[in-house]
Amino acid sequence: MNGYNENRDFFIKYRNEKLFNDKNSVEECMRHFDKDGDQALDLNEFEQLLKSLFSYSGNAYFMQKPKIKTMFNYFDDNKDDRIQLNELENFWFKMVKMTLLPKSAFIIVDVQNDFIDGTLTLKKCPAKQNGAEVVPIINNLLETVPFDTIVYSLDWHPADHCSFIENLHLRTLHKNSPTIENIKTLDSVIFEEYPSVKQRLWPAHCIQGTHGAELHPNLKRVSEKTDTMGRSVICVHKGSKSDIDSYSAFFDNCRLNETTLHADLKKNEINDIYVCGLAADVCVAATSNDGLELNYRVVFIEDATRGVDLEDIESQKKRLKNRGALVVNSKDVYNMVTCRDRRPELGYAAFLSLIGSNNHQEQ
């Protein structure tokens, strides 16, 4: 799409929260889209509203007709095939607000020395990618995009961690382990302690308190005290228990322990998470998938990630897309965070979350 043109965007002025909450705003929206003047929106008029809401610079994104109809039926409370003013008000505060006034977090996953030029450098993994290439891309996003919250996650392993191939002799393999003999780096095994979880074996990396566990020196650190955008900052350490690995910044791989991340994001009223870092097909993908499970709207920034295996990277991106996440380029992020570029995938994700929340309350 071409550059952004504010004059072609009916909704952008409602990014002003005071104007958004003004009682006349819903009525103005009704007048704008009620083309036949009957004080209600029929399905075609509602579709035009959605096309204006989910657009960039006046250019509507494609929306599937069945999804439009599902949303129309949900907000048509009295089932008269029209969206009345009170029903539009419900849509305004349940859907339009999430679209125009979301809270966003930028999650930077494991941009640590060992993954870039240390013991587990991605350059020596099958995809042979250079983790250092994400640093300037991430720095640019940190310097230019007004996220509400910045998150740094770090692998933070004890020296006897179960993921280290050097520690294989410290644990007993389960009889159902996919590999029993001649085990090598990147093989997967199953230990008796957790017989339902496969453990991939890596070289020792990101050991607590070592240089390898530190964030890469060229990565920009945002400080709450000096940040001119007023963003909050969260730091999450994961994988700190000896016998359980933790790819995701939210949970360990057995989902027995949760980090503080979800609670911290909820405290900051975050709706959308933009995820990047290392490695794309392991910790970035796990964090993104758990974000979906926790009902965040997830955006995977593909050029701000590097990974271990090319096939796995593509497989994980496909899985995320199928589950409702967006996979985007970093050049798209500013307009998305500032709600100039409003994607229907995120809108429908908000709708599904709304339905799920209401169903849960009714049970």
Side-chain angles (χ1 to χ4, degrees):
M1 291 186 177
N2 296 325
Y4 178 73
N5 184 342
E6 185 170 319
N7 294 328
R8 299 178 62 191
D9 189 342
F10 170 78
F11 282 101
I12 196 63
K13 63 185 176 184
Y14 297 111
R15 283 273 292 160
N16 179 307
E17 194 161 2
K18 183 178 179 180
L19 180 60
F20 180 89
N21 290 317
D22 189 292
K23 63 180 181 180
N24 295 318
S25 293
V26 179
E27 295 178 3
E28 182 180 2
C29 182
M30 174 66 81
R31 288 193 296 271
H32 186 82
F33 293 100
D34 177 23
K35 299 304 181 184
D36 58 11
D38 64 352
Q39 311 302 312
L41 303 181
D42 60 24
L43 179 59
N44 288 332
E45 291 167 335
F46 184 73
E47 180 176 348
Q48 294 308 308
L49 184 157
L50 290 181
K51 286 183 175 180
S52 179
L53 183 60
F54 300 114
S55 64
Y56 177 63
S57 194
N59 297 302
Y61 284 106
F62 171 76
M63 292 192 69
Q64 296 176 346
K65 296 283 187 181
K67 291 183 177 180
I68 295 172
K69 178 65 172 173
T70 299
M71 294 175 70
F72 180 84
N73 289 341
Y74 180 84
F75 287 100
D76 177 20
D77 286 337
N78 62 5
K79 307 307 175 189
D80 65 350
D81 292 324
R82 301 184 336 148
I83 301 294
Q84 309 283 352
L85 184 63
N86 65 311
E87 294 166 336
L88 181 61
E89 184 176 9
N90 186 32
F91 175 81
W92 184 262
F93 287 101
K94 295 288 179 61
M95 286 292 301
V96 180
K97 185 173 184 178
M98 176 76 82
T99 303
L100 297 178
L101 299 167
K103 299 286 188 180
S104 63
F106 185 34
I107 302 181
I108 303 164
V109 178
D110 302 0
V111 182
Q112 293 164 269
N113 290 322
D114 270 344
F115 296 126
I116 293 177
D117 52 19
T119 58
L120 187 40
T121 174
L122 294 183
K123 288 182 283 190
K124 293 184 179 179
C125 291
K128 300 189 183 306
Q129 295 189 339
N130 183 359
E133 292 172 352
V134 306
V135 174
I137 298 170
I138 293 171
N139 285 347
N140 181 62
L141 292 171
L142 287 170
E143 291 163 2
T144 60
V145 180
F147 300 103
D148 296 283
T149 296
I150 307 299
V151 179
Y152 297 95
S153 85
L154 297 93
D155 255 6
W156 198 247
H157 297 314
D160 63 347
H161 195 251
C162 62
S163 72
F164 300 167
I165 193 165
E166 294 89 344
N167 294 333
L168 182 61
H169 66 284
L170 299 179
R171 294 167 179 84
T172 303
L173 294 175
H174 191 272
K175 63 181 180 179
N176 294 329
S177 177
T179 313
I180 299 291
E181 298 179 346
N182 301 318
I183 298 170
K184 58 187 182 300
T185 302
L186 300 186
D187 282 346
S188 293
V189 298
I190 297 176
F191 294 119
E192 282 192 350
E193 290 89 340
Y194 297 99
S196 63
V197 177
K198 289 183 179 180
Q199 175 62 59
R200 200 170 190 184
L201 298 174
W202 312 92
H205 61 279
C206 299
I207 295 174
Q208 298 169 7
T210 65
H211 172 77
E214 294 175 3
L215 293 173
H216 192 271
N218 293 339
L219 180 68
K220 178 180 175 65
R221 273 76 152 183
V222 173
S223 168
E224 288 186 359
K225 295 181 180 179
T226 59
D227 184 44
T228 57
M229 299 187 207
R231 298 169 293 189
S232 60
V233 179
I234 298 169
C235 188
V236 177
H237 294 83
K238 60 190 183 66
S240 57
K241 295 182 179 295
S242 296
D243 293 325
I244 310 176
D245 209 353
S246 183
Y247 292 161
S248 168
F250 289 104
F251 299 99
D252 66 50
N253 290 3
C254 299
R255 279 186 166 254
L256 296 176
N257 302 282
E258 185 175 356
T259 70
T260 61
L261 181 56
H262 182 46
D264 288 339
L265 293 179
K266 284 300 159 191
K267 182 173 65 177
N268 291 345
E269 301 180 332
I270 297 300
N271 317 111
D272 299 346
I273 59 173
Y274 290 75
V275 191
C276 68
L278 309 173
D281 46 333
V282 187
C283 296
V284 181
T287 299
S288 299
N289 277 299
D290 278 347
L292 291 169
E293 290 284 343
L294 293 167
N295 286 325
Y296 293 100
R297 304 193 302 180
V298 175
V299 181
F300 180 101
I301 310 172
E302 61 179 334
D303 62 321
T305 68
R306 295 294 185 274
V308 173
D309 182 273
L310 291 176
E311 287 189 9
D312 289 346
I313 294 169
E314 292 306 312
S315 175
Q316 287 291 348
K317 287 194 293 187
K318 182 177 180 181
R319 182 187 181 208
L320 286 168
K321 288 179 182 178
N322 289 340
R323 298 189 65 203
L326 272 177
V327 176
V328 306
N329 188 279
S330 61
K331 65 180 175 56
D332 300 322
V333 172
Y334 177 85
N335 281 328
M336 292 179 66
V337 170
T338 56
C339 299
R340 290 167 170 82
D341 184 353
R342 303 185 295 270
R343 306 292 179 96
E345 295 90 343
L346 297 185
Y348 202 70
F351 175 65
L352 293 178
S353 179
L354 173 64
I355 292 176
S357 175
N358 286 349
N359 289 341
H360 180 73
Q361 292 174 7
E362 293 169 1
Q363 291 175 358

